[in-house]
Amino acid sequence: QVYVVFSEELKCWCRALVESVWCQADDYQLRCFLVDYAQHCSVASENIRVLAGAFAKIPHRAKKCRLHCTKPLTLHIDYRENTAKIGPAKRWDTAAIQHFRKLLE
């Protein structure tokens, strides 16, 4: 479900999908994906609202997607054997993300 959250970084209200919730001291924090800006942000629970009817029907400007059959790789370095091998990774490296963005441009 899409909600409206206040983004401190953008200084405005944005449509967002809530990805996770965690408790922090005296408040809850939400990890959100801003569907019109393709950004992730953390938001306090007091800064979330239910999206009004007509606004919920407006298409998102950004969509989450994945590359088909493409898995992240990283360089695994073994200091004892003084070797380096490319192997599977759980997440994409920052350098790989930057390289991909340059290719898209």
Side-chain angles (χ1 to χ4, degrees):
Q1 180 174 344
V2 180
Y3 295 93
V4 178
V5 298
F6 186 77
S7 169
E8 294 289 337
E9 182 182 335
L10 299 172
K11 303 288 185 224
C12 66
W13 289 90
C14 308
R15 295 184 299 162
L17 294 171
V18 176
E19 295 181 330
S20 62
V21 179
W22 71 93
C23 185
Q24 192 175 39
D26 60 342
D27 197 10
Y28 286 96
Q29 289 286 319
L30 301 108
R31 175 86 173 148
C32 299
F33 176 72
L34 305 178
V35 297
D36 292 319
Y37 295 94
Q39 293 180 354
H40 289 90
C41 70
S42 295
V43 178
S45 60
E46 62 197 28
N47 290 332
I48 185 170
R49 306 286 187 272
V50 175
L51 187 60
F55 292 107
K57 295 177 183 171
I58 298 172
H60 303 160
R61 292 178 60 198
K63 293 192 187 255
K64 287 181 129 186
C65 60
R66 296 174 187 244
L67 297 174
H68 181 68
C69 294
T70 304
K71 304 279 186 208
L73 298 174
T74 191
L75 187 64
H76 296 284
I77 300 172
D78 188 345
Y79 292 104
R80 286 184 273 168
E81 295 183 19
N82 200 23
T83 60
K85 298 177 186 175
I86 293 179
K90 293 181 181 178
R91 305 187 76 180
W92 288 98
D93 291 344
T94 305
I97 294 169
Q98 290 174 350
H99 177 69
F100 182 72
R101 286 182 176 157
K102 286 180 184 177
L103 290 174
L104 289 175
E105 291 174 359

